[in-house]
Amino acid sequence: MADPRFFAVAGPFTAAELAQRTGATLTGDGQRVLKDVAPLDTAGPDHLCFLDNRKYLDALRQTRAGACLIHPDLAKEAPKDAVLLVTPEPYRAYALAAQAFYAEAHPEPGIDKSASIDKSAKLGEFCRVDAGAVIGARAELGTRCHIGPNAVIGSGCKLGDEVRVGSNASLSHCLIGNRVRIYPGARIGQDGFGFASDRKGVVKVPQLGRVLIGDDVEVGANSTIDRGAGPDTIIGPGTMIDNLVQIGHNVQIGRQCVLVAQVGVSGSTKLGDFVVVGGQGAFAGHLNIGSGAQIGAKAGVMRDIAPGERVVGSPAVPVKEFFRQVAWLQRMASKKQGD
Amino acid sequence: MADPRFFAVAGPFTAAELAQRTGATLTGDGQRVLKDVAPLDTAGPDHLCFLDNRKYLDALRQTRAGACLIHPDLAKEAPKDAVLLVTPEPYRAYALAAQAFYAEAHPEPGIDKSASIDKSAKLGEFCRVDAGAVIGARAELGTRCHIGPNAVIGSGCKLGDEVRVGSNASLSHCLIGNRVRIYPGARIGQDGFGFASDRKGVVKVPQLGRVLIGDDVEVGANSTIDRGAGPDTIIGPGTMIDNLVQIGHNVQIGRQCVLVAQVGVSGSTKLGDFVVVGGQGAFAGHLNIGSGAQIGAKAGVMRDIAPGERVVGSPAVPVKEFFRQVAWLQRMASKKQGD
Amino acid sequence: MADPRFFAVAGPFTAAELAQRTGATLTGDGQRVLKDVAPLDTAGPDHLCFLDNRKYLDALRQTRAGACLIHPDLAKEAPKDAVLLVTPEPYRAYALAAQAFYAEAHPEPGIDKSASIDKSAKLGEFCRVDAGAVIGARAELGTRCHIGPNAVIGSGCKLGDEVRVGSNASLSHCLIGNRVRIYPGARIGQDGFGFASDRKGVVKVPQLGRVLIGDDVEVGANSTIDRGAGPDTIIGPGTMIDNLVQIGHNVQIGRQCVLVAQVGVSGSTKLGDFVVVGGQGAFAGHLNIGSGAQIGAKAGVMRDIAPGERVVGSPAVPVKEFFRQVAWLQRMASKKQGD
């Protein structure tokens, strides 16, 4: 069970209720009462577990769990007395069930007395503004937004409904959709890395664009998204950005992309939809990355990538080619002189 | 036109005024009135555009822009009715023109009532201290400094004139020149990663140096610069540091270097002047990197680099050698067994 | 001498006192009065220096230092009139001596009037809470904790004794041991990167674990440690984490590991004890890294690593093999066609 210092558990739910919430097909006693989610190996009779990996079939066979979310192909392996919630997507169903038990409560609406909110800012209904948060002139927040402690919303920023901004995050020059989540320490909207430099000195190029963030986006802790230089920097709906990611000015990212921690995207590069980028992967500037492309961890992408292409390495090459090169080099370099 | 939520446009200016401000030579009607900057393809008769890349010659020929900053070699390609501002450095001139239209106004001087300023701190004239900012004992700020919301200036820090510190940034143990810009969330002056470790445990080595930052430096969002262990960590004038860059203790960086996002410089490494480091490039400790060296993105530098040398790869080798190796490996590994 | 703007020097100490504090064996006048530490080349008669690298033997021979911490094998090279503090670990001894001269004073206990502390939070004796800091409901702090300006301690967090949290850092969902140091801007306890994603959209997986941090751990500036998804994320005692490091959910790190700047550890990977990871090194998820393993800078680890194994490269291979491959590729690719 999750530590009650930090988490409040809802429920209990019957197996039938959870089958409905997760879209699973119920097999067994729909009235079985379930009080929590738990892993296969520690679950007890009033817990719901899930299995989506054959590696854990042994744990499934021995589980004491009261109910289990499971793929139809594996259902026959479950203990006879377990209630089964059968679904082709057990992990997704688990997420929905866990959300039922551990719904993130919107905090009590209100504005902490130590928050600084400009008189010209507009806040929608039921917003919560925590201690030390600062909201600038003409900023607009939708309903049920939550601005965390010491977060800063710059002048003119516009946030949709149910946006959550973590502690100590900074926003400026941005328009943000609904249900967006900005994690602690993220920096959004500062001016990009634009200047003309020569031996006479450095001249800054005014950065005149914005950051536009679609619905349901997440921006991880301490990640940075620079605003556009003239065009906007754009993050499409449903895109998930992990911690310590850098997004340069004028970058456009499509819908439901996944950028794992410490990725870097240089200025003016465009990613299509459903692009996945592994940790520390990076892109040169002004590239086009097709929808559905998969970029391996630590890849250094220096050319356009076709839709659906899978690459890795630096400079990035197709995955098969990369591992062929790795294997060949290993074999050749280990041969003795004279072989 | 830039979004008026975030940007106020100055002007209008005549073409002659802009020629003077940018150092360009005017060809055509100096009284042409210009109200904004714009890209070649969307500019109208009261806009100033620029061209510095032959790739956009077609857009130039079709532009409706009232005036254009352009290189002398390309001037003849411009539409007959466009006023030309001819200059060997159109991008630099554009930066100056855009600064004229979009000058960054210094905010109204004053101290927000929620800021915490130690009685012994000294602030120069016309400083602005935003909500929640904290300024420690004996800190000294020059004139026209701007300390952003929830930024923290530690005890004893000294800032020159017109220094801007972004929201939620943290400074300690540092002396900072004039016109320096620290972006949101940057961390400057914390103690470096110094300790003696063995099986008996870890003993911290007191970090007794400072961070010295020259005039006109920029430190990007969420970048980190540790103070020296005994010597100082030094950033030379005009050096531009992008987001999420790490600078270790005792590092010395010369003047007008450029460090792109996510670069890491290990302790005691020295960079000369005008060194450029691509994104995610990194240096081992105690190296000497000559002036004018160019370090490619993702390079891992493990040896000293001569002035003007261009390297890439990990371990970093000269650029030509790197790409020869890449090409050779690709060719050899793709040969069928028995070739 | 360290800049008195930032550092207060204690002492003076006699050579005999310093020998005792550092566990060194005294040779010479134990009553020699020492007022500060200094490098070999700038030290004067009332300074203590140290030597632990034969490279600096010439500087030793010419030093004017009053006393020197030195390895028994090198003691005979020191000037005749220098007092020697002989020890097999001169750097560790220097750390202890420097701590004597530059003890980090615990700030005056008390709570700044601009701090926001929930009524249900419990603070031990002698805590210091700086301006703008926020401490949430039911949080518990031990004795002599120091919460820096604008730092945020989330609801329910528990800190041991003498924990220091830097300015603008954010903690949530964590239990923290004694003498832990969290640097400015670090983010600890936010929910990990967990979601089920398909073409129907993204479903967040509730992250129900915590972050557990052992005694004497350091977490560097702007580093991020996500809480567990169900299991906890665990950092063992004495582990040193540098700046801009990413630790994913469910990661377990043993005791006294060293993670240099910009390292990334993907979810559910386990590191044993005494593991050292060079800058920008990274791990895929679900790996086991044995105790005492050494992972080179920029390594990309894609498989389990045996205890004590030394690897580098991406994908990481044993160090000898890596450099053999590098050398072989360099030799072969530089041969002329037809060689």
Side-chain angles (χ1 to χ4, degrees):
Chain A
M1 179 183 172
D3 187 340
R5 289 183 79 91
F6 303 112
F7 302 95
V9 63
F13 300 100
T14 63
E17 283 173 315
L18 290 169
Q20 192 184 7
R21 277 174 182 261
T22 60
T25 302
L26 182 75
T27 303
D29 177 11
Q31 294 313 304
R32 179 74 58 97
V33 173
L34 298 164
K35 296 185 175 167
D36 205 345
V37 289
L40 277 171
D41 55 347
T42 62
D46 51 5
H47 291 155
L48 174 69
C49 63
F50 80 101
L51 176 79
D52 73 343
N53 188 332
R54 282 179 172 278
K55 256 172 57 178
Y56 298 103
L57 274 176
D58 276 349
L60 174 72
R61 290 181 193 116
Q62 296 167 35
T63 190
R64 297 174 50 246
C68 188
L69 290 156
I70 195 164
H71 192 278
D73 294 351
L74 303 176
K76 63 179 184 298
E77 309 284 349
K80 298 259 186 284
D81 55 341
V83 176
L84 299 185
L85 283 69
V86 181
T87 164
E89 295 183 298
Y91 186 56
R92 187 185 188 91
Y94 167 76
L96 293 167
Q99 286 181 1
F101 283 107
Y102 294 97
E104 281 192 86
H106 180 66
E108 204 181 338
I111 294 171
D112 189 277
K113 65 179 193 298
S114 67
S116 297
I117 303 182
D118 190 275
K119 276 177 295 188
S120 60
K122 288 181 192 166
L123 277 67
E125 284 191 296
F126 310 116
C127 283
R128 168 76 200 167
V129 181
D130 284 332
V134 179
I135 300 180
R138 294 168 296 101
E140 296 178 61
L141 280 64
T143 60
R144 288 180 196 280
C145 288
H146 179 193
I147 309 301
N150 291 334
V152 175
I153 312 296
S155 300
C157 290
K158 189 169 180 177
L159 283 60
D161 296 334
E162 297 180 38
V163 172
R164 286 181 284 175
V165 178
S167 56
N168 287 302
S170 306
L171 275 60
S172 77
H173 302 85
C174 59
L175 306 180
I176 289 185
N178 300 306
R179 297 173 305 279
V180 169
R181 187 159 181 185
I182 312 293
Y183 281 77
R187 312 294 164 201
I188 296 176
Q190 57 282 345
D191 50 314
F193 203 54
F195 49 85
S197 180
D198 63 19
R199 301 277 159 144
K200 285 181 295 187
V202 174
V203 182
K204 285 277 293 182
V205 178
Q207 302 287 300
L208 303 173
R210 305 161 300 179
V211 176
L212 309 183
I213 294 188
D215 293 343
D216 302 300
V217 166
E218 294 207 358
V219 179
N222 285 349
S223 287
T224 55
I225 305 178
D226 288 346
R227 73 172 181 264
D232 295 312
T233 302
I234 301 174
I235 313 292
T239 283
M240 307 299 278
I241 297 175
D242 201 350
N243 299 341
L244 293 168
V245 169
Q246 153 71 1
I247 309 285
H249 55 182
N250 310 339
V251 165
Q252 293 183 21
I253 295 180
R255 65 168 55 233
Q256 251 180 268
C257 293
V258 175
L259 278 64
V260 176
Q262 298 175 317
V263 159
V265 187
S266 298
S268 302
T269 282
K270 295 180 189 178
L271 278 64
D273 301 329
F274 306 107
V275 174
V276 176
V277 189
Q280 298 188 350
F283 300 86
H286 299 274
L287 300 181
N288 283 291
I289 311 301
S291 289
Q294 297 193 19
I295 313 298
K298 277 192 176 284
V301 181
M302 298 171 66
R303 60 161 173 86
D304 290 352
I305 301 293
E309 197 178 350
R310 295 174 61 222
V311 300
V312 70
S314 183
V317 295
V319 169
K320 276 189 186 173
E321 188 176 326
F322 177 76
F323 284 106
R324 192 171 57 219
Q325 289 181 15
V326 165
W328 185 83
L329 180 57
Q330 183 165 6
R331 204 171 58 236
M332 297 304 288
S334 65
K335 284 189 182 180
K336 286 201 192 121
Q337 202 90 9
D339 277 14
Chain B
M1 180 185 169
D3 187 339
R5 288 183 80 92
F6 303 111
F7 303 96
V9 63
F13 301 99
T14 63
E17 283 172 316
L18 290 170
Q20 193 184 4
R21 277 173 182 262
T22 60
T25 303
L26 182 75
T27 305
D29 177 12
Q31 294 312 306
R32 178 74 58 97
V33 172
L34 298 164
K35 297 185 175 165
D36 205 346
V37 289
L40 277 171
D41 55 347
T42 62
D46 51 6
H47 292 154
L48 174 68
C49 63
F50 79 102
L51 176 79
D52 73 344
N53 188 330
R54 283 177 173 279
K55 256 172 57 178
Y56 298 103
L57 274 176
D58 276 350
L60 173 72
R61 290 181 193 114
Q62 295 166 36
T63 190
R64 296 173 52 245
C68 189
L69 290 155
I70 195 163
H71 191 277
D73 295 351
L74 303 176
K76 63 179 184 296
E77 308 285 349
K80 298 259 186 285
D81 54 341
V83 176
L84 299 185
L85 283 71
V86 181
T87 165
E89 295 182 297
Y91 186 56
R92 187 186 187 90
Y94 166 77
L96 293 167
Q99 285 181 2
F101 282 107
Y102 294 96
E104 281 191 87
H106 180 66
E108 204 181 336
I111 293 170
D112 190 277
K113 64 178 193 301
S114 66
S116 296
I117 302 182
D118 190 275
K119 275 177 294 187
S120 60
K122 289 181 192 166
L123 277 66
E125 284 191 298
F126 311 116
C127 284
R128 168 77 200 167
V129 181
D130 283 332
V134 179
I135 300 181
R138 295 168 295 100
E140 294 177 62
L141 280 64
T143 60
R144 290 181 194 281
C145 288
H146 179 192
I147 310 301
N150 292 334
V152 175
I153 312 294
S155 300
C157 291
K158 188 169 182 177
L159 283 60
D161 296 335
E162 297 180 38
V163 172
R164 288 180 284 175
V165 178
S167 55
N168 288 303
S170 306
L171 276 60
S172 77
H173 303 84
C174 59
L175 306 181
I176 290 186
N178 300 307
R179 297 172 305 279
V180 169
R181 187 158 180 185
I182 312 294
Y183 281 77
R187 311 294 163 201
I188 297 176
Q190 57 281 344
D191 50 314
F193 203 54
F195 48 86
S197 180
D198 62 20
R199 300 278 159 143
K200 285 180 293 186
V202 174
V203 181
K204 285 277 292 183
V205 178
Q207 303 288 299
L208 303 173
R210 304 162 300 179
V211 176
L212 308 184
I213 294 188
D215 292 343
D216 302 300
V217 166
E218 297 209 352
V219 179
N222 285 348
S223 287
T224 56
I225 304 179
D226 288 346
R227 72 172 181 264
D232 295 311
T233 303
I234 302 175
I235 313 292
T239 283
M240 308 297 279
I241 297 174
D242 201 352
N243 299 340
L244 293 168
V245 169
Q246 153 71 1
I247 309 284
H249 55 183
N250 311 339
V251 166
Q252 293 183 20
I253 296 180
R255 64 170 54 233
Q256 250 180 270
C257 293
V258 175
L259 279 65
V260 176
Q262 298 175 317
V263 159
V265 187
S266 298
S268 302
T269 281
K270 294 179 189 179
L271 277 64
D273 301 329
F274 306 107
V275 174
V276 176
V277 189
Q280 299 188 350
F283 300 86
H286 299 273
L287 300 181
N288 283 292
I289 311 302
S291 289
Q294 296 193 19
I295 313 299
K298 277 191 176 285
V301 180
M302 297 171 66
R303 60 162 173 87
D304 289 352
I305 301 294
E309 197 177 349
R310 296 173 60 222
V311 299
V312 70
S314 182
V317 294
V319 169
K320 276 189 187 172
E321 188 176 326
F322 177 76
F323 284 105
R324 192 171 59 219
Q325 288 181 16
V326 164
W328 186 83
L329 180 57
Q330 183 167 6
R331 203 170 61 236
M332 298 304 287
S334 66
K335 284 189 182 177
K336 286 201 193 120
Q337 201 91 10
D339 276 16
Chain C
M1 178 185 172
D3 187 340
R5 288 183 79 91
F6 303 112
F7 303 95
V9 63
F13 300 100
T14 63
E17 283 172 316
L18 291 169
Q20 192 183 7
R21 277 174 183 261
T22 60
T25 302
L26 182 75
T27 304
D29 176 12
Q31 294 312 304
R32 179 75 57 97
V33 172
L34 299 164
K35 296 185 176 167
D36 204 347
V37 289
L40 277 171
D41 55 346
T42 62
D46 51 5
H47 292 154
L48 174 69
C49 64
F50 79 101
L51 176 80
D52 73 344
N53 189 331
R54 283 178 172 277
K55 255 172 59 178
Y56 298 103
L57 274 177
D58 276 349
L60 174 71
R61 290 181 194 116
Q62 296 166 35
T63 190
R64 296 173 52 245
C68 188
L69 290 156
I70 195 164
H71 191 278
D73 295 351
L74 303 177
K76 63 179 183 298
E77 308 285 348
K80 298 260 185 285
D81 55 341
V83 177
L84 299 185
L85 283 71
V86 181
T87 165
E89 295 181 298
Y91 186 56
R92 187 187 188 89
Y94 166 76
L96 293 167
Q99 285 181 2
F101 282 107
Y102 294 96
E104 280 191 87
H106 180 65
E108 204 182 336
I111 294 171
D112 190 276
K113 65 179 193 299
S114 67
S116 297
I117 302 182
D118 190 276
K119 277 177 293 187
S120 60
K122 289 182 192 164
L123 276 67
E125 283 191 297
F126 309 116
C127 284
R128 168 76 200 168
V129 181
D130 283 333
V134 179
I135 300 180
R138 294 168 294 101
E140 295 177 62
L141 279 64
T143 60
R144 289 183 194 280
C145 289
H146 179 192
I147 310 302
N150 291 334
V152 175
I153 312 295
S155 300
C157 290
K158 188 170 182 177
L159 282 60
D161 295 336
E162 296 180 38
V163 173
R164 286 180 285 175
V165 179
S167 57
N168 288 302
S170 307
L171 275 60
S172 76
H173 303 84
C174 59
L175 306 180
I176 289 185
N178 299 307
R179 297 173 304 279
V180 169
R181 187 157 181 186
I182 312 295
Y183 281 76
R187 311 294 163 201
I188 296 176
Q190 57 283 344
D191 48 314
F193 202 55
F195 49 86
S197 180
D198 62 20
R199 300 279 159 141
K200 286 180 294 186
V202 174
V203 181
K204 286 277 293 182
V205 178
Q207 302 288 299
L208 303 173
R210 305 162 299 179
V211 175
L212 308 184
I213 293 188
D215 292 343
D216 302 300
V217 166
E218 297 209 354
V219 179
N222 285 348
S223 287
T224 56
I225 304 178
D226 287 345
R227 73 171 181 264
D232 295 311
T233 303
I234 301 174
I235 313 292
T239 282
M240 308 297 279
I241 298 174
D242 201 351
N243 299 341
L244 293 168
V245 169
Q246 153 71 1
I247 310 284
H249 55 183
N250 310 339
V251 165
Q252 293 183 20
I253 295 180
R255 64 169 55 233
Q256 251 180 269
C257 293
V258 174
L259 278 64
V260 176
Q262 297 175 319
V263 159
V265 186
S266 297
S268 302
T269 281
K270 294 180 190 177
L271 277 63
D273 300 330
F274 305 107
V275 174
V276 176
V277 189
Q280 298 188 351
F283 300 86
H286 298 274
L287 300 181
N288 283 292
I289 311 301
S291 288
Q294 296 193 19
I295 313 299
K298 277 193 175 283
V301 180
M302 298 171 67
R303 59 162 174 86
D304 289 353
I305 301 293
E309 198 178 349
R310 295 174 62 222
V311 298
V312 70
S314 183
V317 295
V319 168
K320 275 190 187 170
E321 188 176 326
F322 177 76
F323 284 106
R324 192 171 58 219
Q325 288 182 15
V326 164
W328 186 82
L329 179 58
Q330 184 166 4
R331 203 170 59 236
M332 297 305 287
S334 66
K335 284 189 182 178
K336 286 201 193 121
Q337 201 90 10
D339 278 14

